[in-house]
Amino acid sequence: MGNLDRSLHVFLLLLLLLSVASIVPIASARKPINVTYDQRALIINGQRRMLISAGIHYPRATPEMWPSLVQKSKEGGADVVQSYVFWNGHEPKQGQYNFEGRYDLVKFIKVVQQAGLYFHLRIGPYVCAEWNFGGFPYWLKDIPGIVFRTDNEPFKVAMEGFVSKIVNLMKENQLFAWQGGPIIMAQIENEYGNIEWAFGDGGKRYAMWAAELALGLDAGVPWVMCQQDDAPGNIINTCNGYYCDGFKANTATKPAFWTEDWNGWFQYWGQSVPHRPVEDNAFAIARFFQRGGSFQNYYMYFGGTNFARTAGGPFMTTSYDYDAPLDEYGLIRQPKWGHLRDLHAAIKLCEPALTAVDEVPLSTWLGPNVEAHVYSGRGQCAAFLANIDSWKIATVQFKGKAYVLPPWSVSILPDCKNVVFNTAQVGAQTTLTRMTIVRSKLEGEVVMPSNMLRKHAPESIVGSGLKWEASVEPVGIRGAATLVSNRLLEQLNITKDSTDYLWYSISIKVSVEAVTALSKTKSQAILVLGSMRDAVHIFVNRQLVGSAMGSDVQVVQPVPLKEGKNDIDLLSMTVGLQNYGAYLETWGAGIRGSALLRGLPSGVLDLSTERWSYQVGIQGEEKRLFETGTADGIQWDSSSSFPNASALTWYKTTFDAPKGTDPVALDLGSMGKGQAWVNGHHMGRYWPSVLASQSGCSTCDYRGAYDADKCRTNCGKPSQRWYHIPRAWLQLSNNLLVLFEEIGGDVSKVSLVTRSAPAVCTHVHESQPPPVLFWPANSSMDAMSSRSGEAVLECIAGQHIRHIKFASFGNPKGSCGNFQRGTCHAMKSLEVARKACMGMHRCSIPVQWQTFGEFDPCPDVSKSLAVQVFCSSKGSQQATDEPVPPAYYFNYQWQQPIGMNDHLYQRKVPLITPVNVNKYSSVA
């Protein structure tokens, strides 16, 4: 071969190698990660790790939101992202799989991988999660002989098929750690130990079978079973709850993992809004790591939205905000996000010492309710000092030095000397959220307070000038697609959960004598439904006469009757299928038991065995009005006003997408109950006419054990007023908005709104240490201990500080949005804040008197610095030095608990049967 031929051969060979390399998946080029564990921690590539995990459920956000959510989790200190796998979303029909859009699980995990985070894959496939049917596809229920979650062959065959499908999908995409992917752990089953007793020996056999199934799939990573005390030796059992610091694995060879740290709680329709104070959440986490924990996951770090009909329950709201560090819209919630970020940084400073020991050190009691743990080894030392008293401040001696511990708090000392973080001392900034109405054309904007402390009743809502059209949905049976039976049929057996709606229709004849007798006594006949679940609208002769909601409750409804033929139409509705408990396949819905008509002169008329007609769904669904807004035979009324009490009405309008990047929502506070769509995307159910109890909300104290009924807000208000419209669902103009209203509302007051958090505050005491992010790692911390604390303020990306509303160094009072000067005030406070922060994206101010003048303004007073600023992008409405009216914002105030079962549900329709929603002891 000549030199020219040889050169050409080499060139072609290089070209071939480059072309082959270009088609090799990126994941294959990543280095394999070895993951094991011992009694102390998860071991990644030979190193024990203390891991923080962020719970994010991919279907509760859009793919366009995923990168931002993951990045904010990483910036908040997360090492891992955790998610369930939602069977009913991935296999909606048996054998037909869906891994697209919000259900593109592979894409979501790759987003996590690209951010440099690990992933915890919770396959289940039962998830609970306040998700429809606990994540099970409805077709599973119709398999002959099936019993869910026990030693039942039909169920095990179906479950094995799906779990194998997911594990193989992960392998095909090289997503397990040993393949260079981010998945470091997997989970089989979910909280089964809570209900295993209900299945007896079959439950025990099933739990062991599930473990064997998981291990036989060769995923190559550790498997966990949460809330499963009898998990076999090669499966890690883990803890879920508000507090897991006392948790120990069921053998001495396993580490202590906290798979669900409930940093908030879910919400029912008709219930006030739950919150968990960040001081308490930080206390619980610090105690967990103090007492030997090594993996902690926030349930949820981002809760998101129950789009479409995915909300479980029954009666779960469309919002799954969960009071998480990232709110439903993906905005950072402060101070929760920031305070927890600082906690994570403090734990990371302790990691060398925490992982240096093989056994958790014994506690040392420094006084009543004051406990210390010291981790020392390999030249490292870290200590945790905990005051578990709910009310008393403790001053203790530790290693020859005095430490002051607030009640219900943990101080973290990464070098066993210097406190870098205390769980009860919040140095992170606070933000105030606002909702801005987007007006049509050039009518300007109106700023409304968010639903944390809404000061306006729904009747005072101002609409955004949208032009609506209306179309009436027919009542009762509308066509040939009917089922007829001489008994009351269970709803789900008919609808197969394809829709919320099922019509039960019957006609009766009433004599003139009966009508006359009722008229003389000024009474009405009474319709009694022996058992109903979840909700029903009752129509007599095409008119809505009442509604009821509840779980397996009796409904008693007066009904007006006329002489001759009377049509009784019951629109029965599911509001999310049961998601928790044993024997889920046996739970039903609809009108069951008996149906009686009482109060007639002739006596009780038993309708239970009369001729009932059934029709699945409603006409607008069948014609898919939510996709195009038009269909054959559908007439739209474009008059300027519609009757507010009009039941079963479709509304449609078009709008332009709001400018900017702020999240978008729909204010439906003036509506009754129904569902909403934008450009064919199902936003979910709305139900603002159901109000929480008027009583029970008051100021909340973080101290003391938290439970779901503590620290609730929004008493007397709708459970949910704002409904998220993801930006990805919008086009620049001509967006189609469709509402189906069931019981009547004022559509003229429906508004498009944007959500933002321009007001930023900080309040830092002079005794607090410097921000934990400033402390050095792997070196002496003594130099930092002499530095003062600092107040740090930061705007969101793309914004800068445009106005300083308040600044006071001294003893300022109040909270963010309502700061006031105290008796001590440094006169240069505002000047210093302006010099440090105006025009800046991020600024910090040392909290010491030398920063504010040549002398201490009040030497004998314990001092702090409070600052409130406003952020905006250049050229926006808030880009000037003018303050935004403070009345447009809400204070983040904790309020007293309210129980689920102590109030009636108030609605905007006549003759309502109030029913309590049964509380169940769910774990998420």
Side-chain angles (χ1 to χ4, degrees):
M1 183 183 292
N3 290 338
L4 181 59
D5 292 336
R6 186 178 294 109
S7 298
L8 181 60
H9 177 75
V10 171
F11 173 77
L12 292 174
L13 180 61
L14 288 172
L15 186 62
L16 177 62
L17 291 172
L18 286 172
S19 64
V20 171
S22 67
I23 62 175
V24 174
I26 294 176
S28 67
R30 296 181 181 272
K31 294 181 179 180
I33 302 170
N34 180 261
V35 185
T36 57
Y37 63 91
D38 63 11
Q39 77 281 5
R40 184 68 189 95
L42 205 66
I43 300 172
I44 300 178
N45 286 338
Q47 292 187 331
R48 289 173 176 162
R49 293 297 310 275
M50 298 289 111
L51 296 172
I52 303 294
S53 175
I56 301 174
H57 295 161
Y58 51 99
R60 284 176 160 140
T62 61
E64 292 78 6
M65 295 172 65
W66 293 343
S68 175
L69 297 173
V70 171
Q71 185 60 34
K72 289 172 182 175
S73 302
K74 181 178 181 179
E75 292 170 0
D79 309 287
V80 183
V81 169
Q82 180 199 90
S83 181
Y84 283 126
V85 179
F86 297 86
W87 190 356
N88 53 8
H90 292 301
E91 195 178 2
K93 295 183 179 180
Q94 190 170 10
Q96 298 182 20
Y97 293 99
N98 171 32
F99 290 97
E100 298 179 352
R102 291 187 292 113
Y103 292 97
D104 193 338
L105 174 60
V106 169
K107 180 177 181 178
F108 179 67
I109 296 175
K110 287 183 176 179
V111 168
V112 173
Q113 183 178 27
Q114 290 163 4
L117 299 180
Y118 298 120
F119 195 85
H120 182 201
L121 184 71
R122 302 179 73 188
I123 299 177
Y126 166 74
V127 300
C128 186
E130 290 70 62
W131 191 263
N132 195 52
F133 214 26
F136 288 136
Y138 189 82
W139 56 260
L140 195 68
K141 182 178 184 290
D142 287 338
I143 294 177
I146 199 166
V147 182
F148 291 0
R149 303 176 75 195
T150 188
D151 187 17
N152 171 268
E153 198 62 27
F155 179 77
K156 291 193 297 183
V157 168
M159 173 174 163
E160 181 174 2
F162 180 72
V163 174
S164 300
K165 172 78 174 180
I166 296 301
V167 171
N168 290 334
L169 182 66
M170 299 300 102
K171 288 181 182 179
E172 291 166 8
N173 288 274
Q174 299 183 315
L175 293 176
F176 284 110
W178 55 272
Q179 299 174 297
I183 301 174
I184 58 172
M185 281 198 303
Q187 178 178 301
I188 193 72
E189 250 301 337
N190 185 51
E191 299 174 332
Y192 187 66
N194 296 342
I195 64 165
E196 183 177 320
W197 60 270
F199 299 101
D201 290 340
K204 294 183 180 297
R205 292 193 301 271
Y206 166 74
M208 295 306 103
W209 171 85
E212 292 169 3
L213 166 65
L215 295 171
L217 294 172
D218 295 324
V221 296
W223 286 85
V224 305
M225 298 179 84
C226 61
Q227 303 289 80
Q228 193 70 43
D229 292 341
D230 61 355
N234 41 12
I235 299 283
I236 304 170
N237 65 302
T238 67
C239 181
N240 293 352
Y242 294 117
Y243 305 94
C244 283
D245 54 285
F247 173 77
K248 303 295 181 186
N250 61 5
T251 71
T253 60
K254 301 176 186 178
F257 287 174
W258 191 359
T259 39
E260 290 189 15
D261 168 9
W262 302 335
N263 54 288
W265 202 238
F266 52 81
Q267 185 180 7
Y268 292 107
W269 297 112
Q271 188 183 61
S272 53
V273 180
H275 303 288
R276 186 179 185 186
V278 68
E279 298 94 332
D280 173 68
N281 198 189
F283 170 78
I285 297 164
R287 288 285 286 163
F288 176 70
F289 283 97
Q290 173 184 352
R291 300 183 67 187
S294 59
F295 175 94
Q296 173 262 337
N297 172 75
Y298 290 99
Y299 192 101
M300 301 292 301
Y301 199 80
F302 164 79
T305 307
N306 293 315
F307 295 117
R309 300 173 55 251
T310 59
F315 308 118
M316 298 295 175
T317 58
T318 298
S319 171
Y320 200 66
D321 180 86
Y322 225 86
D323 197 34
L326 302 179
D327 73 11
E328 179 184 358
Y329 303 85
L331 296 178
I332 289 174
R333 172 175 277 123
Q334 296 282 29
K336 180 166 278 193
W337 182 90
H339 192 53
L340 295 174
R341 173 205 58 194
D342 295 345
L343 169 64
H344 305 155
I347 291 169
K348 291 303 179 183
L349 289 174
C350 298
E351 187 173 26
L354 292 173
T355 57
V357 302
D358 293 331
E359 302 295 336
V360 177
L362 297 175
S363 62
T364 301
W365 290 97
L366 304 180
N369 294 322
V370 181
E371 184 182 31
H373 282 79
V374 179
Y375 290 81
S376 180
R378 301 175 192 168
Q380 304 290 333
C381 187
F384 295 79
L385 309 180
N387 179 5
I388 59 177
D389 192 288
S390 298
W391 305 108
K392 296 179 182 178
I393 297 173
T395 301
V396 299
Q397 292 291 322
F398 177 71
K399 291 185 178 292
K401 186 177 178 180
Y403 295 87
V404 178
L405 306 177
W408 203 252
S409 77
V410 178
S411 287
I412 300 177
L413 295 68
D415 61 352
C416 286
K417 292 187 293 183
N418 295 293
V419 176
V420 302
F421 182 86
N422 179 274
T423 60
Q425 295 176 337
V426 179
Q429 69 183 31
T430 297
T431 54
L432 298 183
T433 305
R434 75 175 187 180
M435 291 293 198
T436 304
I437 295 177
V438 180
R439 305 289 290 177
S440 62
K441 301 186 184 300
L442 300 176
E443 297 181 49
E445 67 174 22
V446 178
V447 180
M448 296 290 286
S450 186
N451 63 346
M452 203 67 69
L453 271 180
R454 186 162 58 84
K455 299 177 182 178
H456 300 272
E459 290 72 18
S460 67
I461 295 171
V462 179
S464 54
L466 297 170
K467 295 183 178 180
W468 294 91
E469 295 180 77
S471 180
V472 176
E473 171 75 22
V475 174
I477 305 303
R478 62 186 179 276
T482 61
L483 174 68
V484 177
S485 176
N486 287 334
R487 61 191 179 94
L488 294 168
L489 301 178
E490 193 275 324
Q491 179 168 346
L492 296 175
N493 284 336
I494 303 175
T495 66
K496 306 301 181 184
D497 196 35
S498 61
T499 174
D500 278 3
Y501 306 108
L502 176 67
W503 282 107
Y504 291 70
S505 298
I506 192 171
S507 295
I508 61 171
K509 289 185 177 180
V510 178
S511 66
V512 63
E513 293 81 9
V515 172
T516 302
L518 289 171
S519 177
K520 287 182 178 179
T521 58
K522 297 182 179 180
S523 61
Q524 290 183 319
I526 306 294
L527 177 65
V528 181
L529 305 177
S531 180
M532 180 278 302
R533 173 178 174 161
D534 299 333
V536 63
H537 300 320
I538 300 170
F539 294 82
V540 176
N541 298 321
R542 304 296 188 264
Q543 297 298 312
L544 177 66
V545 297
S547 299
M549 63 180 286
S551 295
D552 296 320
V553 297
Q554 184 185 73
V555 177
V556 179
Q557 176 65 55
V559 291
L561 299 176
K562 64 180 182 179
E563 177 188 349
K565 180 184 176 184
N566 288 262
D567 295 321
I568 299 177
D569 297 292
L570 310 177
L571 183 57
S572 177
M573 295 157 289
T574 53
V575 192
L577 303 192
Q578 186 75 22
N579 59 264
Y580 179 76
Y583 300 104
L584 282 180
E585 72 281 358
T586 66
W587 290 76
I591 313 301
R592 293 177 288 176
S594 60
L596 307 176
L597 197 60
R598 298 182 182 275
L600 296 174
S602 57
V604 177
L605 177 60
D606 188 349
L607 304 178
S608 308
T609 56
E610 297 295 327
R611 180 185 173 90
W612 287 88
S613 298
Y614 300 84
Q615 185 148 47
V616 174
I618 52 178
Q619 177 179 266
E621 284 182 313
E622 179 185 331
K623 293 182 176 292
R624 306 188 73 80
L625 289 182
F626 46 82
E627 289 184 345
T628 64
T630 60
D632 292 341
I634 300 297
Q635 300 294 322
W636 291 94
D637 177 8
S638 59
S639 62
S640 58
S641 62
F642 310 104
N644 292 345
S646 178
L648 300 192
T649 303
W650 291 85
Y651 297 98
K652 71 173 181 177
T653 188
T654 58
F655 64 92
D656 294 341
K659 295 180 180 179
T661 60
D662 289 338
V664 181
L666 199 62
D667 183 349
L668 294 174
S670 63
M671 301 302 288
K673 178 184 182 297
Q675 301 184 48
W677 294 262
V678 169
N679 293 331
H681 297 281
H682 195 173
M683 293 170 55
R685 304 179 183 99
Y686 66 83
W687 204 348
S689 59
V690 177
L691 305 181
S693 171
Q694 292 281 354
S695 61
C697 292
S698 61
T699 302
C700 171
D701 196 314
Y702 75 88
R703 295 172 294 183
Y706 179 80
D707 62 62
D709 290 333
K710 183 180 180 182
C711 299
R712 289 183 170 270
T713 64
N714 222 43
C715 289
K717 308 298 181 184
S719 297
Q720 185 178 350
R721 174 179 168 185
W722 285 280
Y723 297 80
H724 184 203
I725 307 175
R727 281 272 183 182
W729 291 359
L730 298 179
Q731 52 203 24
L732 289 178
S733 61
N734 201 36
N735 293 282
L736 175 66
L737 169 61
V738 176
L739 306 178
F740 174 60
E741 172 57 47
E742 298 169 14
I743 58 178
D746 189 349
V747 74
S748 70
K749 294 180 180 178
V750 170
S751 300
L752 198 69
V753 298
T754 57
R755 185 175 178 88
S756 59
V760 179
C761 302
T762 185
H763 193 180
V764 178
H765 197 274
E766 62 181 351
S767 65
Q768 289 180 229
V772 65
L773 297 176
F774 293 1
W775 289 76
N778 302 319
S779 62
S780 173
M781 297 183 176
D782 291 338
M784 284 294 296
S785 65
S786 61
R787 289 183 53 178
S788 67
E790 294 198 30
V792 179
L793 294 156
E794 184 173 7
C795 301
I796 65 171
Q799 292 191 352
H800 294 78
I801 296 171
R802 305 295 179 183
H803 172 69
I804 312 293
K805 174 174 170 45
F806 181 90
S808 178
F809 177 76
N811 57 354
K813 301 178 294 183
S815 57
C816 188
N818 191 33
F819 284 132
Q820 298 176 5
R821 291 183 185 180
T823 56
C824 171
H825 170 72
M827 298 305 295
K828 290 188 176 182
S829 299
L830 187 58
E831 177 185 337
V832 169
R834 281 180 169 166
K835 185 176 180 180
C837 298
M838 279 297 294
M840 304 294 290
H841 169 69
R842 183 178 184 272
C843 66
S844 63
I845 305 171
V847 185
Q848 56 184 359
W849 66 261
Q850 292 89 344
T851 305
F852 300 93
E854 299 178 356
F855 59 91
D856 190 331
C858 34
D860 298 328
V861 174
S862 178
K863 292 175 285 297
S864 62
L865 171 64
V867 182
Q868 179 176 340
V869 305
F870 288 100
C871 299
S872 68
S873 56
K874 187 175 181 180
S876 71
Q877 184 182 3
Q878 304 303 332
T880 68
D881 196 36
E882 292 300 318
V884 176
Y888 290 160
Y889 295 86
F890 65 90
N891 294 326
Y892 201 78
Q893 297 176 355
W894 303 115
Q895 300 185 334
Q896 272 304 97
I898 170 176
M900 291 183 188
N901 297 319
D902 63 355
H903 63 280
L904 302 180
Y905 292 87
Q906 305 173 36
R907 275 97 58 76
K908 291 182 180 177
V909 292
L911 302 175
I912 295 168
T913 304
V915 178
N916 290 333
V917 179
N918 293 327
K919 179 179 179 179
Y920 70 97
S921 56
S922 169
V923 281

